[in-house]
Amino acid sequence: MAEIVNLRQVRKQKARAEAEKTAAQNRIAFGRTKAERALTEAERDKAARHIDGHRLDRDEPEPA
């Protein structure tokens, strides 16, 4: 004989498992401390300033 299964409970278990899987992915993607986020932003800003500082302006005429 087959095992009797409560479909409502099975659906809830499946939904909980899916929610936990999503939560785990979000913890990886967004689970950074404020200091880590600030460090990443500071590094990004420094790199942008470095690139902008070495950019050649083509709009200005060259000195004679």
Side-chain angles (χ1 to χ4, degrees), residues 2-64:
E3 183 178 340
I4 297 175
V5 178
N6 187 333
L7 295 178
R8 178 180 51 83
Q9 289 178 344
V10 171
R11 266 189 248 117
K12 285 185 177 184
Q13 287 175 347
K14 183 178 178 184
R16 285 187 194 113
E18 297 255 344
E20 178 56 35
K21 182 180 174 185
T22 303
Q25 290 173 345
N26 285 340
R27 281 192 294 271
I28 292 170
F30 302 108
R32 298 179 353 177
T33 65
K34 188 173 185 178
E36 289 172 335
R37 287 193 306 264
L39 179 63
T40 302
E41 185 176 350
E43 289 172 346
R44 189 178 319 122
D45 290 344
K46 182 180 178 185
R49 283 193 315 272
H50 180 76
I51 295 291
D52 288 341
H54 288 86
R55 188 176 306 253
L56 295 176
D57 291 331
R58 300 288 180 179
D59 298 339
E60 300 175 10
E62 293 186 19

